[in-house]
Amino acid sequence: MNNQIYIHNTLKGEKELFKPIHEGQIGMYVCGPTVYSDVHLGNCRTFISFDMIYRYLIHAGYKVRYVRNITDAGHLEASLAGKNRLDQLEPMEIVQKYTVGFHDIMALFNNHPPSIEPAATGHIIEQIEIVKSILDKGLAYESNGSVYFDVEKFDKTENYGELSGRKIEDLISGTRDLDGQDEKRSPLDFALWKKASPSHIMRWPSPWGEGFPGWHLECTAMSTKYLGDNFDIHGGGMDLKFPHHECEVAQGKASTGKAPVNYWLHANMLTLNGQKMSKSTGNTILPGELFSGDNDIMDKAYHPMVVRFFMMQAHYRSILDFSSAALSASEKGFNKLMTAISDLDKLQAGESSSANIKEIVGGFYSAMNDDFNTPVLVARMFEAATEINKIKAGSASISKTDLDLLNKELKAFAFDVLGLKPVKSGGGNELDAAMDIVLELRKNAREQKDWTTSDLIRDKLSEAGIVVKDSAEGTNWSIN
Ligand code: AMP
Ligand code: ZN
């Protein structure tokens, strides 16, 4: 392995040289979606970020086992009454619907499926076993059919808060005034197992009565089952750092005596109008609404590959704000890169190279080895594109060896590492020119109030997979 990859480890608060536990192999766990509703683009950003990381680790020569769970053991509350069995709410029907939808969206974004995709409901026995082991160590207690993790007792020998950088004294003072915590010894304690109320439909028998596992516990159970008590990488969105991941560290240490994870990676948030995209506030845009153009936020439809490229132009640890202007700029960049890549095959090699191609390609690796710095990688790829354009125009040259190197590496980084795919007839120059003519004709028709012709043009284009969208700024089009 000649690649030295530096990764920002939340546990240390800095970049560290990555050293896997087992040479050449990596175990990586990423918190997956809660499948009770559609995933929004914010969720997608986190999964795309970790897909890029997974892809680069593979490109760097590692054998990676990537585990991403499905959170399906949730908190659905409903009356069990129904006219008959098929009338009753069936959580697994909801789980199935949104899991299929999630997979469809991941495929549209060209995300690799993980190596294992375990579901929380398939690991109840493992979760109960972990609760038992934490109880045995005296670091949890039963209370009224629920089991809670004893945070303050754990903190006497370990450091609760080491991942998120919080201090237990501050946490205690921040929660002092909360009421309704009577089941717990301290408001900081979190549930490992919850007693199910009569209306709670997802429930399982346990040594403490009927109930369901705490959310943090499922990730501890599924990550350690498939990757071991101590594994290499755990990822998730920044918003999961506390309490979710902090509790995972505590549960792992309490049950096995080992720190569960060597490198904690946190991907930053996608924002819309400067606010975190979030289901609960309604500040979201769904992937389908973006691809079809059927939304009030964007000026036109965008292809999933353009959206992916847009996300790759930001570092995974930076906040990224979603806007029409930014996407439109990314669309141009994406087309420029794809055109350059398709031109590569048409280039003629000469005696020597006028630019340092090895240096440009080396830059692809150094960008990614520096905590997966995709914006720097993209900048280096644009340098390559500029060079390709010059060679094509005859104002620069390239040797056969350099052409082979650039051909191999530019394609590998665009397709294998960034996970981009060329878009079918993706807004090439000829199509752009033809569309300018068609939209000009439609504009003339509209000016003469010839709505039949203007609608006919729009509908026929739509049948051909081209979406036309009118807005105050003018008319835009995109390939569906
Ligand atoms: P959930 O289904 O809510 O558990 O979220 C699934 C993943 O999406 C988690 O890793 C979250 O951290 C992540 N996530 C939620 N909102 C955003 C956002 N606005 N931007 C990026 N990631 C997000
Ligand atoms: Zn998790």
Side-chain angles (χ1 to χ4, degrees):
M1 213 71 46
N2 49 16
N3 262 338
Q4 303 250 304
I5 304 180
Y6 285 80
I7 299 185
H8 186 276
N9 187 355
T10 308
L11 207 50
K12 306 283 171 63
E14 60 187 17
K15 284 188 227 174
E16 285 190 303
L17 177 61
F18 175 70
K19 290 202 195 87
I21 297 164
H22 305 287
E23 167 119 34
Q25 292 176 304
I26 296 175
M28 171 161 109
Y29 183 89
V30 172
C31 295
T34 306
V35 284
Y36 286 167
S37 58
D38 289 312
V39 282
H40 57 69
L41 270 173
N43 305 133
C44 293
R45 181 185 183 204
T46 288
F47 300 128
I48 292 171
S49 294
F50 285 101
D51 181 65
M52 169 277 291
I53 289 171
Y54 177 45
R55 284 165 172 275
Y56 186 61
L57 294 174
I58 294 172
H59 184 73
Y62 287 103
K63 186 167 176 284
V64 187
R65 178 178 291 167
Y66 172 23
V67 182
R68 188 187 64 210
N69 71 298
I70 294 281
T71 294
D72 60 350
H75 304 262
L76 276 188
E77 302 261 349
S79 151
L80 281 175
K83 283 198 286 296
N84 60 50
R85 183 69 188 84
L86 296 183
D87 245 4
Q88 292 168 9
L89 177 68
E90 180 44 76
M92 278 307 167
E93 197 170 342
I94 297 169
V95 163
Q96 178 70 6
K97 175 177 169 197
Y98 291 110
T99 303
V100 170
F102 169 65
H103 287 158
D104 288 348
I105 298 292
M106 291 298 101
L108 281 175
F109 277 122
N110 200 27
N111 274 357
H112 281 321
S115 330
I116 305 177
E117 193 170 42
T121 53
H123 297 75
I124 301 294
I125 293 170
E126 287 84 347
Q127 295 179 69
I128 290 175
E129 287 306 309
I130 296 175
V131 181
K132 283 193 206 159
S133 76
I134 300 177
L135 277 169
D136 286 348
K137 306 267 167 42
L139 291 169
Y141 56 90
E142 190 189 343
S143 174
N144 187 28
S146 294
V147 181
Y148 293 99
F149 190 95
D150 193 333
V151 171
E152 288 180 41
K153 189 161 177 202
F154 172 80
D155 191 64
K156 289 206 165 70
T157 51
E158 296 286 346
N159 174 11
Y160 182 79
E162 68 171 327
L163 180 68
S164 56
R166 290 167 202 234
K167 287 206 168 48
I168 192 139
E169 304 80 61
D170 300 342
L171 290 168
I172 293 170
S173 65
T175 51
R176 196 175 286 145
D177 296 327
L178 289 180
D179 31 280
Q181 310 275 8
D182 37 319
E183 264 184 32
K184 299 188 199 176
R185 289 182 192 161
S186 152
L188 290 189
D189 296 350
F190 56 90
L192 297 172
W193 186 265
K194 274 298 270 177
K195 177 182 176 169
S197 64
S199 61
H200 202 102
I201 31 186
M202 290 187 107
R203 53 204 299 142
W204 292 266
S206 80
W208 317 285
E210 286 217 345
F212 56 96
W215 169 42
H216 315 308
L217 192 61
E218 64 172 86
C219 285
T220 294
M222 291 181 274
S223 58
T224 55
K225 171 163 177 152
Y226 298 107
L227 300 173
D229 290 343
N230 168 241
F231 58 94
D232 298 298
I233 296 177
H234 191 315
M238 212 71 105
D239 55 340
L240 300 188
K241 200 193 302 181
F242 187 89
H244 186 51
H245 293 160
E246 194 69 66
C247 295
E248 279 190 61
V249 173
Q251 289 167 161
K253 284 190 168 176
S255 63
T256 70
K258 292 181 205 156
V261 177
N262 289 359
Y263 299 85
W264 282 94
L265 272 66
H266 288 102
N268 217 327
M269 297 292 109
L270 186 67
T271 58
L272 184 62
N273 303 318
Q275 300 291 319
K276 179 188 165 193
M277 221 182 255
S278 148
K279 200 157 39 196
S280 52
T281 58
N283 187 39
T284 56
I285 177 162
L286 298 181
E289 295 169 344
L290 185 63
F291 306 153
S292 68
D294 186 13
N295 64 76
D296 301 329
I297 302 159
M298 297 292 145
D299 55 1
K300 61 174 196 138
Y302 286 96
H303 193 280
M305 283 304 107
V306 171
V307 183
R308 186 171 176 116
F309 183 68
F310 161 73
M311 293 185 182
M312 292 296 125
Q313 285 181 292
H315 190 263
Y316 78 94
R317 284 194 300 110
S318 305
I319 289 176
L320 176 60
D321 194 54
F322 206 69
S323 70
S324 263
L327 267 186
S328 166
S330 290
E331 188 172 54
K332 290 196 183 74
F334 175 76
N335 288 337
K336 178 176 158 189
L337 186 62
M338 290 300 127
T339 307
I341 291 176
S342 72
D343 284 346
L344 259 177
D345 295 323
K346 299 175 213 147
L347 294 188
Q348 297 286 333
E351 287 292 298
S352 62
S353 302
S354 47
N356 193 340
I357 300 294
K358 282 185 198 64
E359 205 260 331
I360 294 178
V361 169
F364 298 170
Y365 284 91
S366 43
M368 290 302 282
N369 289 341
D370 180 17
D371 194 26
F372 312 104
N373 200 329
T374 54
V376 171
L377 168 65
V378 170
R380 301 308 312 251
M381 291 168 101
F382 279 142
E383 278 176 40
T386 304
E387 205 51 35
I388 291 168
N389 288 340
K390 283 202 241 160
I391 300 164
K392 196 176 146 201
S395 61
S397 63
I398 189 164
S399 71
K400 170 86 175 68
T401 337
D402 280 350
L403 182 55
D404 290 346
L405 176 75
L406 189 60
N407 203 340
K408 175 168 164 267
E409 298 289 354
L410 188 59
K411 285 179 183 168
F413 275 86
F415 304 141
D416 304 345
V417 175
L418 291 184
L420 302 171
K421 276 196 299 199
V423 172
K424 200 168 23 121
S425 64
N429 292 341
E430 298 84 353
L431 184 62
D432 277 344
M435 282 304 296
D436 284 348
I437 300 169
V438 174
L439 292 181
E440 184 68 30
L441 290 173
R442 183 165 172 268
K443 190 167 151 238
N444 290 345
R446 281 161 69 94
E447 276 163 10
Q448 288 160 27
K449 303 208 178 335
D450 177 2
W451 308 119
T452 318
T453 306
S454 79
D455 288 352
L456 182 80
I457 293 174
R458 191 197 53 214
D459 296 345
K460 290 285 172 196
L461 284 172
S462 164
E463 280 171 29
I466 295 174
V467 183
V468 173
K469 195 164 176 184
D470 300 307
S471 71
E473 285 79 41
T475 302
N476 272 305
W477 64 275
S478 61
I479 297 172
N480 204 355

